[in-house]
Amino acid sequence: MPTTSDFERMLRGVSLRVTRPRVAVLSAVHDHPHADTDSIIGAVREHLGKVSHQAVYDVLGALTAAGLVRRIQPRGTVARYESRVGDNHHHAVCRSCGAIADVDCVVGTAPCLTASDDSGFVIDEAEVIFWGLCRDCSTRSVSERTVSSRKDSHV
């Protein structure tokens, strides 16, 4: 778990001035992987007290541009932020509750990770999002189907 001095070092390492809001936002992203902006604002306010939405948005933008955090936005969801940067990991998203989990680099042939035609791009990242049900939702779904089928069989 990184400390305040680690966060300060990270900020200096990318030539960002060390400020209390930047340290607080960086800490919140590290403490709450895949958190949305409102959750980050809440965590920062618990630590700093009053801070504006705009200040947190600005810090998130600066941290993302500097490569200290990564912004992801799976289709149909709000933007989320994570501190796991510098690798080409992917995500699994629950269709029911919206939970997000990291997935290390994919293997196999599908989905393909090498573009058949790069259209002149120098590709340095492939973003893959796996959609499905998390363990809790899939267990609940099986339970609900079992209860439903029992009700149907008694009719």
Side-chain angles (χ1 to χ4, degrees), residues 10-89:
M10 288 177 194
L11 290 165
R12 287 186 189 103
V14 293
S15 300
L16 286 177
R17 192 167 50 90
V18 175
T19 64
R20 290 183 65 223
R22 285 180 177 163
V23 171
V25 170
L26 195 51
S27 177
V29 173
H30 275 263
D31 291 346
H32 307 283
H34 309 120
D36 62 16
T37 308
D38 286 340
S39 299
I40 293 169
I41 290 169
V44 169
R45 285 183 175 163
E46 282 181 22
H47 182 70
L48 290 183
K50 188 163 176 68
V51 64
S52 71
H53 281 74
Q54 191 60 52
V56 173
Y57 281 110
D58 291 346
V59 170
L60 285 168
L63 296 176
T64 300
L68 292 178
V69 301
R70 181 178 176 196
R71 180 183 187 275
I72 62 169
Q73 189 168 6
R75 181 188 74 240
T77 69
V78 297
R80 300 186 178 258
Y81 296 87
E82 63 181 349
S83 60
R84 185 174 170 184
V85 296
D87 67 353
N88 191 26
H89 74 278

Side-chain angles (χ1 to χ4, degrees), residues 127-139:
E127 185 172 317
V128 176
I129 298 178
F130 298 95
W131 293 89
L133 294 177
C134 68
R135 185 182 331 254
D136 290 344
C137 290
S138 64
T139 302

Side-chain angles (χ1 to χ4, degrees), residues 84 87-91 102-108 113 126 128 130:
R84 185 174 170 184
D87 67 353
N88 191 26
H89 74 278
H90 310 292
H91 298 96
D102 289 337
V103 176
D104 287 329
C105 201
V106 297
V107 295
L113 295 177
V128 176
F130 298 95

